[in-house]
C-alpha cells in the first residue's frame, strides 16, 4: 500500500543526491556557477513544460490562479532560486 510512496521518495532522494555530484562535475568544466545554475533550471523548465501544456487540467488550474498567487509564486521563484540556488552553486564552485 505504501510501496509507491516509498519508491517515489527513494527516487527523489536519489535525484537530489546525484544532483550535487553533477553540479560539482559541471563546475569543474569551467562553467561559471551562476550560468550553470541558470542553464540547469532552464533545462528543467523545458522538460517540465510539456507536462503542463499537454494536460488540460493543469492548463485550466494555471489560468484560474489569482493575481496575488502569481505574485507570490514569482517572488518565491526569484528569491528561492536566485538566492538559495545561486549561492549553493557559488559555494560548490568555491570548494
Amino acid at each position: 500500500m505504501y510501496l509507491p510512496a516509498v519508491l517515489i521518495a527513494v527516487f527523489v532522494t536519489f535525484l537530489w543526491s546525484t544532483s550535487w555530484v553533477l553540479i560539482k562535475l559541471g563546475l569543474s568544466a569551467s562553467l561559471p556557477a551562476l550560468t550553470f545554475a541558470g542553464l540547469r533550471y532552464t533545462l528543467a523548465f523545458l522538460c517540465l513544460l510539456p507536462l503542463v501544456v499537454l494536460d488540460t487540467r493543469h492548463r485550466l488550474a494555471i489560468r484560474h490562479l489569482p493575481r496575488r498567487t502569481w505574485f507570490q509564486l514569482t517572488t518565491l521563484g526569484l528569491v528561492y532560486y536566485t538566492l538559495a540556488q545561486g549561492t549553493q552553486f557559488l559555494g560548490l564552485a568555491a570548494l
Side-chain angles (χ1 to χ4, degrees):
M1 179 179 233
Y2 296 105
L3 184 61
V6 170
L7 291 175
I8 290 170
V10 169
F11 181 64
V12 167
T13 303
F14 170 76
L15 288 178
W16 182 253
S17 61
T18 56
S19 74
W20 287 83
V21 175
L22 295 174
I23 291 167
K24 195 65 179 163
L25 289 172
L27 291 172
S28 68
S30 74
L31 277 172
L34 295 179
T35 301
F36 185 47
L39 289 172
R40 179 178 181 226
Y41 287 104
T42 300
L43 180 62
F45 167 76
L46 292 174
C47 289
L48 293 173
L49 186 62
L51 298 175
V52 174
V53 171
L54 297 176
D55 191 336
T56 307
R57 292 173 301 156
H58 292 144
R59 284 196 318 265
L60 288 174
I62 289 172
R63 252 187 229 144
H64 292 96
L65 286 176
R67 186 178 298 262
R68 178 176 166 83
T69 303
W70 277 111
F71 176 75
Q72 291 171 334
L73 289 171
T74 302
T75 303
L76 177 66
L78 289 173
V79 171
Y80 178 72
Y81 285 107
T82 302
L83 292 178
Q85 299 297 310
T87 54
Q88 172 187 320
F89 274 74
L90 288 171
L92 285 171
L95 290 177

